[in-house]
Amino acid sequence: MTEPGSAFRLFTGKVRRFFAVHFRKKYVEGQLKARQGDCSQCAVCCSLAFSCPLLTKDRLCAVYGTFRPLACRAFPIDEKDIEEVRACGGECGYRFIPDPDAHGRS
């Protein structure tokens, strides 16, 4: 991502995800129900804004099966996260299916 302000956008995305998994749990639960697909294990999400210290030299998560942080387990939380991965050259294996019952709700 080379556009102006992109590093700031990626950093605020990290903060947004941290805040969401800890303080907007109902929102995250709803989003995860609408999420479909699988992780492509591209590790782009592990390097948004900065490279995760738990990422091995082979670009694998060292704690994937034991203790991944909440923000990692929930990633992507919404379409914004998928857009960040795409902007950094990755292709997320997840997508979000809109809830047909949510149409018209505020």
Side-chain angles (χ1 to χ4, degrees):
M1 186 183 266
T2 58
E3 59 198 57
S6 61
F8 180 74
R9 179 176 171 222
L10 294 175
F11 178 75
T12 57
K14 287 236 186 236
V15 173
R16 179 181 57 80
R17 285 185 290 278
F18 178 85
F19 180 82
V21 298
H22 293 285
F23 302 107
R24 297 190 66 206
K25 294 179 183 185
K26 292 286 186 196
Y27 171 74
V28 172
E29 287 173 15
Q31 288 298 108
L32 296 183
K33 288 178 184 175
R35 186 176 78 180
Q36 293 187 354
D38 292 302
C39 178
S40 61
Q41 297 184 349
C42 66
V44 171
C45 61
C46 304
S47 302
L48 296 175
F50 55 85
S51 188
C52 177
L54 300 173
L55 199 60
T56 68
K57 65 178 178 157
D58 297 323
R59 299 187 52 77
L60 299 171
C61 180
V63 295
Y64 188 88
T66 56
F67 178 75
R68 280 188 302 155
L70 287 175
C72 298
R73 284 183 265 160
F75 193 92
I77 294 172
D78 52 30
E79 193 63 39
K80 290 177 187 176
D81 295 338
I82 293 175
E83 291 170 9
E84 287 182 13
V85 168
R86 192 175 302 122
C88 290
E91 189 61 41
C92 188
Y94 289 107
R95 63 191 180 287
F96 289 90
I97 306 302
D99 180 358
D101 296 331
H103 188 70
R105 274 194 249 159
S106 43

